[in-house]
Amino acid sequence: MILFNLLKDGKKNAVTLSYDDAPVHDRRLVDIFNKYGMKATFHINSGVLGENNGKIEPEEIKELYKNHEVACHGVMHARLDLLSKGECVTELYEDRKALEQLCGYIVRGLSYAYGRYTDDVLKAVENCDIEYSRTVKGTMNFEFPENWLEWNPTCHHNNCLEYGEKFLNSIEGFTSGPRLLYVWGHSYEFSRQDNWDVIEEFCKLVGGRDDIWYATNIEIYDYIKAQRSLIVSVDGKTVYNPSGQEVWFSCTDTKKAYSVKPGETKVVE
């Protein structure tokens, strides 16, 4: 039996982080993440950048977030559920367009401003070719989403040490499903609450481990989509990978880990 229980490089556990609004405090947060090898996605409102707004400067984006991912948060940080359908599309489309020009690559992710969205907003998100969007609804578990446009994180960083400990203590056996710890927040909260030590302790706790994949939101999305696209023969012995990236899996018969490259057909022996 083929099991889709492995992540990139055959690892079984992943950590991703997500921070909104691009306040100037992101500079310090990025330094901490880079120090401990963490990977994060930064959701940015391109229409309100600049020191006058307490935000980073537009020209900083490409260099500051080069080890991470830039994603949308709405050009003006408007509540999408209060906009008309057309205005909603404009709020998202213009943000995506501006961010792509600033960071130099295709922007494919989003987090909902104020955590608010409706069915009409979900349609607008799809119409803007945004492939995933993060909510603010903590699951308090380590599961991957079924609906990528309603991607619920594990927890806010106020609870990151608690769930970081639970995550490390709940790593299961080889045949268990992959696990994801997803933490979100705003970097300005650390300054307001004078608790930068929380995120530093979290990074010390979960960072630097060989058994964890540290990834951005889009890297998680791309891998799981590729994994779910694998085609398996009826007898469970052959796997075909139609995606554009290498995918890892295991087999209950052999107790081994395997990988299948893009376009490759792998016969399990």
Side-chain angles (χ1 to χ4, degrees):
M1 181 182 294
I2 300 298
L3 298 176
F4 299 153
N5 63 337
L6 300 178
L7 301 172
K8 184 176 171 61
D9 297 326
K11 297 178 182 181
K12 295 179 287 185
N13 307 284
V15 172
T16 193
L17 302 106
S18 178
Y19 279 79
D20 294 347
D21 299 351
V24 293
H25 310 87
D26 274 6
R27 296 165 184 155
R28 181 172 177 179
L29 185 62
V30 167
D31 283 344
I32 293 173
F33 288 163
N34 290 345
K35 176 181 177 181
Y36 293 99
M38 309 299 286
K39 300 290 287 292
T41 294
F42 291 87
H43 301 276
I44 297 175
N45 315 108
S46 58
V48 292
L49 291 173
E51 292 279 355
N52 291 340
N53 293 316
K55 312 287 187 180
I56 65 165
E57 297 291 346
E59 57 270 21
E60 287 184 78
I61 287 179
K62 189 171 186 178
E63 180 64 21
L64 179 64
Y65 301 117
K66 65 181 180 181
N67 296 322
H68 306 279
E69 176 196 1
V70 168
C72 298
H73 198 42
V75 66
M76 299 302 295
H77 201 270
R79 265 186 57 173
L80 299 179
D81 61 322
L82 299 182
L83 301 180
S84 68
K85 295 178 182 178
E87 288 174 328
C88 185
V89 169
T90 298
E91 174 76 0
L92 299 174
Y93 181 80
E94 291 302 321
D95 195 35
R96 183 182 171 203
K97 181 179 179 181
L99 292 174
E100 288 182 346
Q101 293 174 342
L102 291 172
C103 69
Y105 54 79
I106 298 173
V107 171
R108 301 159 58 203
L110 170 73
S111 69
Y112 296 109
Y114 306 101
R116 305 301 291 268
Y117 61 95
T118 62
D119 288 343
D120 283 340
V121 170
L122 294 176
K123 292 176 184 176
V125 172
E126 288 185 305
N127 289 338
C128 291
D129 292 329
I130 291 171
E131 298 187 64
Y132 75 82
S133 189
R134 194 212 76 225
T135 76
V136 296
K137 303 172 184 176
T139 64
M140 310 307 173
N141 64 42
F142 310 117
E143 302 299 323
F144 290 82
E146 286 301 319
N147 183 349
W148 291 99
L149 296 185
E150 295 181 88
W151 190 350
N152 300 320
T154 302
C155 65
H156 183 270
H157 66 230
N158 284 343
N159 305 109
C160 66
L161 291 175
E162 174 187 356
Y163 283 92
E165 290 279 5
K166 288 182 178 180
F167 181 70
L168 296 181
N169 291 334
S170 61
I171 293 175
E172 300 177 7
F174 185 77
T175 59
S176 65
R179 303 166 66 79
L180 172 66
L181 172 60
Y182 188 150
V183 175
W184 79 280
H186 306 86
S187 60
Y188 62 74
E189 295 174 277
F190 297 119
S191 289
R192 287 183 179 179
Q193 299 171 20
D194 191 24
N195 65 348
W196 281 97
D197 58 304
V198 169
I199 195 63
E200 185 108 25
E201 285 301 312
F202 173 78
C203 292
K204 287 180 183 178
L205 176 68
V206 303
R209 294 176 59 107
D210 293 336
D211 57 351
I212 293 177
W213 176 32
Y214 305 97
T216 63
N217 288 188
I218 196 63
E219 288 172 333
I220 297 289
Y221 169 85
D222 281 340
Y223 183 86
I224 298 299
K225 291 290 283 188
Q227 185 181 65
R228 292 175 179 174
S229 75
L230 294 180
I231 300 170
V232 181
S233 63
V234 174
D235 65 3
K237 299 293 185 181
T238 305
V239 179
Y240 169 62
N241 181 5
S243 78
Q245 68 172 291
E246 188 172 10
V247 178
W248 282 256
F249 63 93
S250 71
C251 178
T252 56
D253 294 339
T254 65
K255 308 298 184 183
K256 293 181 180 179
Y258 300 86
S259 72
V260 54
K261 292 181 171 54
E264 181 185 12
T265 297
K266 173 79 69 173
V267 178
V268 176
E269 299 177 351

